[in-house]
Amino acid sequence: LFHSGILEDCCKQPGDIVLVADEHLHEETMKLVASDGRVTSVGKHVKFDEASGTFLGIAKFSPAGGTRMFDELDRVIEAGETNAYFTLALMGLIADWEEIGVSWTNGRAWIEVDFPEELEQAEKVLPLLG
């Protein structure tokens, strides 16, 4: 669940691929490294002390960016990766010098719900989602 302004800001960002990130780090989530508005690494492999923020799993793809992403996903699958997060494909694009932008949450509320405890927390966050 996320505040609608998070998605609105992401859609306004220039670029073919833009990832949404929170400036605050959360231990058990995907993290990313960004510099000068460009993502240089994303995934669970990113060390906590090297991360710029938490990747929410929300992204914008232009038609060209979507095509490049699907081509990279095909390459990942053809390489035999059958149980991989889509961040593996993003890392392939980054390795090919694909420019991937970042859009920050700017303190807006969001929560990932994977467990019953998080559902209880989400109920408290709902009024903040706008």
Side-chain angles (χ1 to χ4, degrees), residues 35-56:
S35 178
D36 297 325
R38 183 172 181 251
V39 176
T40 57
S41 189
V42 60
K44 289 205 175 209
H45 69 278
V46 174
K47 294 178 182 165
F48 194 83
D49 61 343
E50 296 174 0
S52 303
T54 297
F55 172 46
L56 275 62

Side-chain angles (χ1 to χ4, degrees), residues 12-76:
K12 292 176 187 174
Q13 294 293 318
D16 290 319
I17 303 172
V18 178
L19 307 184
V20 175
D22 187 350
E23 301 87 344
H24 297 97
L25 294 169
H26 301 266
E27 189 66 44
E28 291 300 317
T29 58
M30 296 282 180
K31 291 170 280 307
L32 59 73
V33 178
S35 178
D36 297 325
R38 183 172 181 251
V39 176
T40 57
S41 189
V42 60
K44 289 205 175 209
H45 69 278
V46 174
K47 294 178 182 165
F48 194 83
D49 61 343
E50 296 174 0
S52 303
T54 297
F55 172 46
L56 275 62
I58 300 171
K60 174 192 93 166
F61 296 90
S62 72
T67 297
R68 289 196 295 278
M69 181 63 170
F70 280 113
D71 289 347
E72 184 63 19
L73 285 168
D74 286 343
R75 189 198 63 73
V76 167

Side-chain angles (χ1 to χ4, degrees), residues 46-118:
V46 174
K47 294 178 182 165
F48 194 83
D49 61 343
E50 296 174 0
S52 303
T54 297
F55 172 46
L56 275 62
I58 300 171
K60 174 192 93 166
F61 296 90
S62 72
T67 297
R68 289 196 295 278
M69 181 63 170
F70 280 113
D71 289 347
E72 184 63 19
L73 285 168
D74 286 343
R75 189 198 63 73
V76 167
I77 292 167
E78 288 171 10
E81 294 286 349
T82 58
N83 189 23
Y85 293 103
F86 85 100
T87 53
L88 184 62
L90 290 170
M91 286 301 298
L93 292 174
I94 290 168
D96 288 340
W97 297 102
E98 184 73 38
E99 188 168 321
I100 297 177
V102 62
S103 179
W104 299 101
T105 61
N106 296 315
R108 291 187 181 104
W110 68 277
I111 187 167
E112 182 177 358
V113 180
D114 290 325
F115 305 103
E117 303 81 32
E118 292 170 333

